[in-house]
Amino acid sequence: MTGPSVPPPEGDPGDGSPTVVEPADADVQPRQGRRVPRWVGWVVGVVVLMVIGGAIGASAAIRTDQVLFEPGSVRGTAGLVEVSGTKSYPMKGDVLFATVSVRQATLFDRVFRRPLDDTLRFTPIDEVYPDGDKAAVDAANESAMDDSKTVASVVALQHLGRKVTFTGDGVAIVEVAPEMPADGLLKAGDLLVGADGQRLELTDDLHRILEGKKPGDSVKLSVVRGGAPSSTSPHGEDGKKTGGKDDGKDDGADTDPPAEQSADEESVIVPLVAADDGRPVMGVQVADYNLDVELPIDISFDSGEVTGPSAGLAWTLAIVDELTPDDLTMGQRVAATGTIGPDGAVGPIGGLPQKTAAVRRAGAELFLVPEGLPKEDLVQAKQIAGDEVDLVEVATLDEAIDEIEEFVGA
């Protein structure tokens, strides 16, 4: 009996040889391509890193139109202030002052550093260097540092009851108020060398003469036209010893006897009117011209390359400590920033957040700062200080000394 005919499988040669059946698609094994050498990945990684490094390096060389303010160094005044000509008492502790590093910002600073560091501040370059005159700004800062040393010496010695002598070559007119008696009679740059027949050396001499008058009177001035640079600026607001507005107090200093007027002097009679508080005034702002301070001892400073007036308070505290038998800092390190005025007032400074970061880094636990700084600066500074640095606002040298004594437990 013959069975039904069954067709051979596809591909069967029909000759009885073995049949080869291809596996289903799911079981197909792909062909393996050529393996990429491992070193290729390393080469690609190195090239990428080189490109990124090159971009970063290039960005560090590209200057922007902004100035970068960042935390600078912290320096101790111990060893930087030297007193001679009297008995001194070397500081056992130290009074530190902080600096702010200032330079033109690069693209690297703005792109890579700015998002990671909240102590950096960027300011348009034309706001820092008007007219692009960096040399003039640097020179002004150097002069401000020199002035701060002089004022610090005077204030410290007066605080300790030491006598300081001032001499000058007259009274410079800094500014004349519009529609006041002196308007049209005097101008900025004029030098007053006499008043009512008495020679003028200091602004105090002029103030003393005006105090003997009343509104409605007049004063006869001896004036050298253009005898003082118009760039002369007042050194203070109270007119005491270092210049200021035409409103001082009598400090008992002697005046020179009347002298004959020289050929280059001109006589000008200026009427006086009442100021808001009733004092007789001409309506001028004045400053001591060629002011010279004679100290009873020698005080020298080593400020290095630091410029600006903000170390004034620290210099003053250092001198007081050097000349005080009882150690002011009691072996501890405290920091201070602020200008110092002729009357011992602590004046404002810039860069408080940056200076606070530097002080914290230096490990000082007390940081004396001027009273009345911008609220946003103070808030940021306190955030930076955290629990490690105690920021204390002071308005005067006396307050600063009291705060230090309280801190050290004196």
Side-chain angles (χ1 to χ4, degrees):
M1 184 174 178
T2 303
S5 175
V6 179
E10 185 178 359
D12 186 349
D15 59 2
S17 60
T19 301
V20 178
V21 180
E22 292 294 333
D25 291 346
D27 296 328
V28 173
Q29 299 296 321
R31 292 184 178 182
Q32 293 184 352
R34 298 180 61 183
R35 180 175 296 177
V36 178
R38 182 175 296 176
W39 60 267
V40 173
W42 285 102
V43 170
V44 173
V46 170
V47 170
V48 171
L49 290 176
M50 290 179 64
V51 171
I52 295 175
I56 293 176
S59 69
I62 300 175
R63 297 179 180 274
T64 69
D65 60 353
Q66 292 189 322
V67 172
L68 170 63
F69 294 82
E70 61 184 324
S73 62
V74 173
R75 304 190 181 192
T77 54
L80 299 183
V81 177
E82 184 177 344
V83 177
S84 59
T86 188
K87 184 173 179 58
S88 61
Y89 309 86
M91 298 170 63
K92 296 179 182 178
D94 207 349
V95 178
L96 314 175
F97 64 90
T99 68
V100 176
S101 174
V102 183
R103 61 177 174 81
Q104 191 170 354
T106 65
L107 187 61
F108 175 81
D109 296 321
R110 295 183 60 180
V111 174
F112 296 100
R113 297 186 62 200
R114 188 173 196 168
L116 303 175
D117 192 343
D118 60 359
T119 67
L120 305 183
R121 181 167 69 87
F122 295 82
T123 302
I125 195 168
D126 56 357
E127 292 184 13
V128 181
Y129 305 116
D131 301 323
D133 196 348
K134 183 177 183 299
V137 174
D138 290 344
N141 283 331
E142 290 177 7
S143 178
M145 169 60 84
D146 292 339
D147 288 347
S148 75
K149 296 173 183 176
T150 300
V151 177
S153 300
V154 171
V155 172
L157 292 178
Q158 290 181 328
H159 173 81
L160 297 172
R162 307 288 185 98
K163 182 179 180 181
V164 181
T165 303
F166 300 86
T167 60
D169 290 334
V171 178
I173 301 295
V174 177
E175 184 178 352
V176 179
E179 300 181 2
M180 291 291 283
D183 188 14
L185 298 176
L186 299 172
K187 61 183 179 179
D190 286 345
L191 181 64
L192 309 184
V193 294
D196 287 349
Q198 300 185 55
R199 303 306 291 174
L200 299 179
E201 289 187 356
L202 302 169
T203 54
D204 278 346
D205 299 335
L206 175 61
H207 299 146
R208 185 169 39 256
I209 292 172
L210 295 181
E211 280 188 340
K213 297 179 178 293
K214 61 182 181 295
D217 290 344
S218 61
V219 58
K220 183 178 180 179
L221 302 173
S222 295
V223 183
V224 178
R225 296 295 185 183
S230 58
S231 60
T232 301
S233 60
H235 302 273
E237 291 297 323
D238 60 356
K240 290 292 291 179
K241 301 179 177 63
T242 52
K245 296 181 180 179
D246 123 42
D247 60 354
K249 302 284 186 181
D250 186 355
D251 64 352
D254 294 330
T255 58
D256 288 341
E260 293 186 5
Q261 183 170 300
S262 64
D264 58 349
E265 297 173 17
E266 177 182 335
S267 292
V268 178
I269 298 177
V270 182
L272 303 174
V273 296
D276 292 340
D277 58 2
R279 293 174 299 105
V281 296
M282 297 182 287
V284 296
Q285 194 173 26
V286 297
D288 294 304
Y289 182 62
N290 284 345
L291 177 67
D292 186 28
V293 180
E294 296 180 12
L295 304 177
I297 59 176
D298 293 326
I299 304 176
S300 60
F301 304 82
D302 179 10
S303 54
E305 297 181 354
V306 180
T307 62
S310 64
L313 175 59
W315 291 133
T316 309
L317 291 168
I319 298 170
V320 171
D321 202 351
E322 286 271 356
L323 296 176
T324 303
D326 297 329
D327 189 47
L328 175 63
T329 51
M330 299 292 286
Q332 299 195 48
R333 300 166 74 241
V334 301
T337 187
T339 62
I340 192 71
D343 57 353
V346 178
I349 51 88
L352 181 63
Q354 292 74 35
K355 291 177 180 178
T356 302
V359 168
R360 176 174 177 171
R361 187 175 57 203
E365 297 180 0
L366 174 66
F367 189 20
L368 302 177
V369 304
E371 189 176 75
L373 293 179
K375 184 178 180 180
E376 57 271 21
D377 283 359
L378 194 59
V379 169
Q380 184 181 2
K382 289 183 176 180
Q383 291 174 343
I384 293 171
D387 296 330
E388 298 184 30
V389 182
D390 186 14
L391 262 69
V392 178
E393 297 178 80
V394 295
T396 65
L397 172 64
D398 290 341
E399 287 184 15
I401 292 175
D402 290 343
E403 292 294 344
I404 293 177
E405 290 178 342
E406 181 177 348
F407 174 75
V408 301

